[in-house]
Amino acid sequence: MAVFGGVGRMVSIAVVAIQVAAFGGLVPIETAPATLQTLNGVLPLPQFVAPAGRLLLGGGGDVVGPCLTLVGWTVGALLVSVVCAARQRPDLAVAARPQSAPAPSSVMAETS
């Protein structure tokens, strides 16, 4: 179950669209507005694509910085997931608790 429902889905689609724009595939990042150039340095998709392309094409380059950015995004996403799950967990625990019912009298008679 999504915590934010349909609004969360729309926000995630918007974030993906921003990442695609900041990626530099549609517009060269050098000619993009300053905002997209800044986002290019911190969003996970551009941080993965550029070093992966360099590695696949045989070039070297710095991969430590982009890897640290990806680790930061991963840790942040895990923290948000844990917090959201913890907030919903009490409701799930109450719903999953089995209802205690008295044992039928026929079972009680057989054990005696």
Side-chain angles (χ1 to χ4, degrees), residues 5-109:
V7 173
R9 289 184 183 97
M10 293 304 295
V11 168
S12 66
I13 290 171
V15 169
V16 168
I18 291 169
Q19 288 189 76
V20 169
F23 164 59
L26 301 174
V27 175
I29 199 62
E30 294 81 15
T31 61
T35 305
L36 287 180
Q37 290 180 9
T38 302
L39 290 174
N40 186 305
V42 295
L43 290 175
L45 180 65
Q47 288 297 310
F48 169 75
V49 171
R54 284 195 304 264
L55 287 174
L56 288 173
L57 296 175
D62 179 33
V63 293
V64 175
C67 285
L68 289 176
T69 302
L70 291 174
V71 167
W73 275 95
T74 302
V75 168
L78 287 174
L79 287 175
V80 169
S81 297
V82 167
V83 168
C84 290
R87 291 179 73 193
Q88 291 181 352
R89 190 143 183 100
D91 297 338
L92 294 175
V94 170
R97 187 175 304 144
Q99 300 293 330
S100 60
S105 59
S106 62
V107 173
M108 299 275 293

